[in-house]
Amino acid sequence: MRIQAACSIGAVLLLTSCQVASFDPDDPEILAAIDSVLQSTMAGATTADVDQVLAAAEGEGELTFITGEVMLSGIESIRARFEDTYAAIQSQHQDILEKRVRILSPDVALVLAIGEGTYTDKAGWTSDPVGIGTTLVFVRESGQWRIRHAHQSIVR
C-alpha cells in the first residue's frame, strides 16, 4: 500500500514539475509588443516598403506565407514575390475593422484580423476596397516577437 501511495505521489509531483509556467493570456506587455510589430508592418505596407514589411519576420525561424492558392516558404522567396507585387504599387491603405490577439503561451501568439483595403498604383489609380482576412502566428525568439506564419485572404 505504501509503495502504491509513494508512486502516486511521485507521479503527481512529476506531472506538476512538467507543467508550463503560468502566464497571463492578456499580458499587456506582450499585447503592446505585438501591436508595435503590427504597426511597423502596416506602415511598411502603406508605403510599399518590402524591407519594412518583412522586418517582422527576420531572425532564426522560417516564415511561411499563404494567400489564395499560393504558399511560399523562406523569407527570400517571399521577398522576391513581394518585390514583384510592390513594383507596380505606390501605396496601400488598410483599415483594421476587428482584431483579436490570442496569447497561447509566453512565447507564442495568434493575431486574427479582418479589414478593408485599397492600393494605388504608380499611375495614380486607386482600387476599389476589398475585404482582407489575416491570421499571423507570432513566436518570441531571443526576446523579439517575430512573424513565423502569415495567411491572408482577399475578398472582392
Side-chain angles (χ1 to χ4, degrees), residues 23-39:
F23 70 97
D24 179 0
D26 298 312
D27 185 318
E29 288 183 27
I30 293 175
L31 295 172
I34 288 173
D35 193 54
S36 177
V37 173
L38 288 173
Q39 292 304 317

Side-chain angles (χ1 to χ4, degrees), residues 67-68 113-118 127-134 151-156:
T67 185
I114 56 170
E116 187 174 79
T118 61
S127 70
D128 290 332
V130 296
I132 303 169
T134 303
H151 177 247
Q152 191 171 64
S153 298
I154 307 296
V155 181
R156 298 189 192 275

Side-chain angles (χ1 to χ4, degrees), residues 95-116:
D95 290 315
I96 294 178
L97 304 175
E98 186 176 349
K99 176 179 79 174
R100 294 184 188 150
V101 178
R102 293 187 180 149
I103 302 170
L104 303 178
S105 79
D107 296 317
V108 178
L110 295 177
V111 174
L112 312 164
I114 56 170
E116 187 174 79

Side-chain angles (χ1 to χ4, degrees), residues 7-21:
C7 288
S8 295
I9 290 170
V12 168
L13 290 174
L14 181 62
L15 289 173
T16 302
S17 68
C18 293
Q19 290 180 352
V20 175

